[in-house]
Amino acid sequence: MRTRQRWERGFSLVELVVVIVVIGILAAVMLRAYADYAERAERAAMERVVSAIRAALHMRVAVLLVRGADEAIVQLADQNPMDWLTDRPHHYAGSFAGTAPTEFVSAPSWYFDSQARELVYRPLRTRHLLTPVNPYHDIRFRIWVDQGELPGGEMLAEPLRGVRRMEFGPVEPYQWTINSH
């Protein structure tokens, strides 16, 4: 009979506090895990765009080489690489002269800095991101194309010429310290 009275009475204040604390701890752990997964997803989305641009750069160079338009390869470094993609990321904000203001480019987003000729990614989640020092944690990418004499043609009457360097990469090193798995 005594046990039945206890259940009819409800929870004691101590029991209620213990349940609230346990729920709070679980919620905090879940929120942290969610934030980590969201940051991993943002990193993967950014890297997917970078990979697509690298592939587009290689395709452009290949087409120019096949057409015999070697002199046009150097001009690729001045172009907006987003123009090469069939499907631009939905958060591409466009082209700006210099650093884009936050009222036009909110994180996460891409934009092209037409003055510096750099493609910029402005991340939203930066807890595990080590970037160059700037107010928005912008990660800047550039195209490098270098043509000239190739090694290995020293014994030939006319030296071998071609593309010595073709790269789309970050202007300054950055590191996302959160694992992708």
Side-chain angles (χ1 to χ4, degrees), residues 11 25 34 38 62 64 66 68 90 97 104 117-119 128 151 159 178:
F11 292 107
I25 290 171
Y34 169 77
L64 292 171
V66 167
H90 69 279
F104 296 116
R117 299 287 182 210
E118 296 172 349
L119 189 62
H128 295 96
I178 193 166

Side-chain angles (χ1 to χ4, degrees), residues 42-43 46 82 91-93 96 98-113 118-126 129 131 134-141 176:
E42 182 177 356
R43 173 185 171 191
M46 183 203 74
M82 283 294 184
H91 50 276
Y92 173 63
F96 295 87
T99 301
T102 54
E103 56 265 17
F104 296 116
V105 180
S106 61
S109 57
W110 290 92
Y111 69 91
F112 183 68
D113 179 347
E118 296 172 349
L119 189 62
V120 183
Y121 180 70
R122 183 166 289 166
L124 176 62
R125 294 170 181 89
T126 59
L129 179 62
T131 59
N134 63 64
Y136 307 112
H137 300 282
D138 288 350
I139 303 171
R140 293 178 162 268
F141 295 89
W176 233 304

Side-chain angles (χ1 to χ4, degrees), residues 25 29 38 41 44-45 75 80 83-84 88 95-96 112 119 129 140 149 162 169:
I25 290 171
V29 169
Q75 297 168 358
N80 180 352
D83 292 340
W84 305 340
R88 291 181 183 162
S95 183
F96 295 87
F112 183 68
L119 189 62
L129 179 62
R140 293 178 162 268
E149 237 176 76

